[in-house]
Amino acid sequence: MKYASANMQGQMDNGLVTAVKHFPGEGADDHDQHYNCEINEMSIAEWDNVFGKVFQGLIDQGTMSIMPGHIALPSYQKYYADDMSGQVMPATYSKALLTNLLREKLGFNGLIVSDNTCIAGASNYLPRYQAVPQMLMAGIDLILYSFDMDEDLDYLKAALQDGRLTMERLNEAVTRNLAVKASLGLHDKQKEGTLVPDEAALDVLGCVEHRDLARRCASDAVTLVKNGQNLLPLNTKEHQKILLTVISDPWEREHIETLVKKQLEEAGFTVTVSNPNDSIPKDNSVRNWQKKYDLFLYISHQESARKDKLSLRINWHQAGNLPRFSADIPTVHISFGNPFELYDLPNIKTYINAYCLTDIVVEETLKKVLGQSDFKGISPVDPFCGKDYLRY
């Protein structure tokens, strides 16, 4: 709540409308809304004490918009005797969740904006001719995305004619949209010709002040989780020849390799980049590897927020070189994404969490690896995954 509140306030202070999402709270199961409706199976008491507190707090703070996800909350849907109770039905179509819970209980009077209504988590649950008017009657004020705009308008007109959609509800939705625009003064800006800022407004992007802030944030966040071999900081006397292995999606691997190789070579190291397609060398002896390299450096970037991945494990097929010789050759692993990768690296004695991948974060992390800057980060999570043996 603390971070969500600060994030929203910063946007509000700069004239933006924040859509708080995804109501009534996602992440409670492992479904992906692109394919299926997610199901939040919390009891009413559990929900009130977790997601309810967050949404209530942000409503009280003044959010003008909330985006429901394609998420069912059966406890409240049954409590409010939703017309669709008994079915797994996303909040997108649920009057119980959008009107009874969000509007009436939580007191939200702003704009309810749907998520993408064309993904399967929504589109598979009602025929489109029913879905479009049902969204409005449930409480949605602004529908995002359409397979065919004219077709959806026809469905709305038909629903108005046969009574499934009322003009009162349609007018209410239109009024809420206009009210948000008016609250931002968009009508005045349009008259003044200032609705779209001029090109000078782009000067703030990448400005020195913001880059300095990003650098300070990165420097304060990067966390040395383990330095069991006392390898750090690296030096050219002991670690001159480095084999760099990057584990990431192919489209970003080359950029990471270039960044890291450049910074290490500028510091005097000799860096060889491992190709994931390389075959095992004929001479695969430990002595041969020790002759060629003084240190193995593994860098990984796996996004923990990607819902197309139901588990996050290191994919060594993307690496080419497995850490087979970490007992024979000094080895360092840096994660620029998932902070729990130590679970798959129990024998790696030197491990760093850098949390996200930007050029600045890479630069600041390597400064610490080279002893040009101190590690300051404190783990916000348990990187040892509750396993004491991972500490050693």
Side-chain angles (χ1 to χ4, degrees):
M1 178 62 201
K2 174 183 177 182
Y3 299 111
S5 174
N7 184 302
M8 188 177 80
Q9 192 62 52
Q11 295 185 54
M12 291 168 63
D13 290 346
N14 285 277
L16 299 177
V17 172
T18 302
V20 176
K21 64 178 191 176
H22 292 98
F23 185 84
E26 66 179 325
D29 77 352
D30 60 4
H31 286 96
D32 183 337
Q33 294 172 50
H34 293 87
Y35 310 113
N36 294 287
C37 171
E38 187 176 324
I39 304 172
N40 185 328
E41 296 189 277
M42 286 182 168
S43 68
I44 287 176
E46 289 172 332
W47 189 89
D48 286 349
N49 194 48
V50 181
F51 289 110
K53 283 187 175 180
V54 175
F55 282 106
Q56 186 69 75
L58 296 175
I59 289 169
D60 292 345
Q61 189 177 336
T63 183
M64 285 193 279
S65 176
I66 287 180
M67 176 180 286
H70 309 313
I71 305 166
L73 182 61
S75 59
Y76 261 114
Q77 287 172 290
K78 292 175 182 177
Y79 176 78
Y80 285 117
D82 200 326
D83 291 340
M84 297 174 184
S85 61
Q87 301 181 59
V88 174
M89 193 60 64
T92 311
Y93 305 128
S94 175
K95 183 177 180 180
L97 298 182
L98 300 185
T99 298
N100 300 127
L101 179 56
L102 182 55
R103 290 269 190 233
E104 296 171 1
K105 180 172 181 176
L106 300 185
F108 179 62
N109 195 35
L111 187 73
I112 300 180
V113 182
S114 83
D115 203 345
N116 184 349
T117 65
C118 296
I119 59 177
S123 64
N124 280 344
Y125 289 84
L126 283 178
R128 190 72 182 179
Y129 80 92
Q130 292 181 359
V132 176
Q134 179 60 36
M135 282 186 266
L136 288 176
M137 288 306 294
I140 298 285
D141 300 306
L142 180 61
I143 298 173
L144 293 190
Y145 299 104
S146 173
F147 295 109
D148 184 287
M149 183 67 73
D150 291 334
E151 181 181 58
D152 280 355
L153 289 173
D154 288 341
Y155 291 151
L156 287 176
K157 292 174 184 177
L160 279 171
Q161 290 176 353
D162 64 27
R164 287 178 293 126
L165 175 63
T166 66
M167 185 59 72
E168 178 184 14
R169 173 67 195 106
L170 186 60
N171 285 335
E172 179 186 37
V174 171
T175 301
R176 291 186 191 281
N177 278 275
L178 294 175
V180 168
K181 294 180 180 181
S183 71
L184 297 173
L186 299 188
H187 55 301
D188 292 329
K189 292 178 180 179
Q190 189 173 39
K191 291 177 182 177
E192 298 164 359
T194 59
L195 187 59
V196 178
D198 59 31
E199 289 190 7
L202 297 175
D203 292 343
V204 72
L205 298 177
C207 68
V208 173
E209 180 185 0
H210 289 177
R211 293 183 66 82
D212 287 346
L213 178 59
R215 208 168 282 283
R216 292 200 303 273
C217 289
S219 183
D220 289 346
V222 176
T223 307
L224 177 60
V225 178
K226 293 171 64 174
N227 189 22
Q229 300 168 296
N230 292 316
L231 283 179
L232 304 180
L234 301 184
N235 63 82
T236 54
K237 182 178 180 181
E238 298 175 279
H239 316 116
Q240 174 66 46
K241 297 173 291 183
I242 297 175
L243 178 64
L244 170 64
T245 300
V246 175
I247 308 162
S248 71
D249 290 319
W251 58 82
E252 63 185 5
R253 183 186 299 124
E254 185 176 349
H255 180 65
I256 301 171
E257 292 168 346
T258 301
L259 277 178
V260 175
K261 188 173 189 290
K262 181 175 183 292
Q263 192 166 346
L264 290 176
E265 288 182 340
E266 287 176 349
F269 295 89
T270 303
V271 181
T272 300
V273 176
S274 170
N275 186 328
N277 298 316
D278 284 348
S279 57
I280 296 175
K282 290 182 179 180
D283 186 352
N284 196 35
S285 67
V286 173
R287 289 192 185 96
N288 183 52
W289 285 102
Q290 289 174 327
K291 181 180 178 180
K292 292 170 65 176
Y293 304 110
D294 302 313
L295 181 124
F296 287 168
L297 174 59
Y298 289 90
I299 287 181
S300 61
H301 177 238
Q302 296 192 99
E303 288 285 2
S304 55
R306 283 177 54 176
K307 293 206 69 179
D308 60 331
K309 294 183 177 180
L310 300 183
S311 65
L312 273 177
R313 308 296 294 273
I314 291 181
N315 182 357
W316 290 113
H317 292 291
Q318 293 179 319
N321 284 299
L322 281 68
R324 299 183 182 93
F325 304 114
S326 61
D328 297 289
I329 298 174
T331 302
V332 178
H333 187 100
I334 307 173
S335 171
F336 286 95
N338 177 18
F340 302 107
E341 287 185 350
L342 199 53
Y343 183 86
D344 281 331
L345 304 164
N347 295 316
I348 298 297
K349 305 302 181 185
T350 307
Y351 177 90
I352 297 163
N353 272 331
Y355 307 108
C356 72
L357 182 71
T358 67
D359 290 7
I360 286 176
V361 173
V362 172
E363 291 170 15
E364 292 302 312
T365 301
L366 291 179
K367 284 182 183 178
K368 297 177 187 301
V369 169
L370 298 174
Q372 299 167 0
S373 172
D374 294 331
F375 285 96
K376 303 173 188 176
I378 300 173
S379 292
V381 295
D382 176 15
F384 305 107
C385 309
K387 312 291 185 183
D388 284 342
Y389 65 82
L390 292 178
R391 297 178 180 273
Y392 306 105

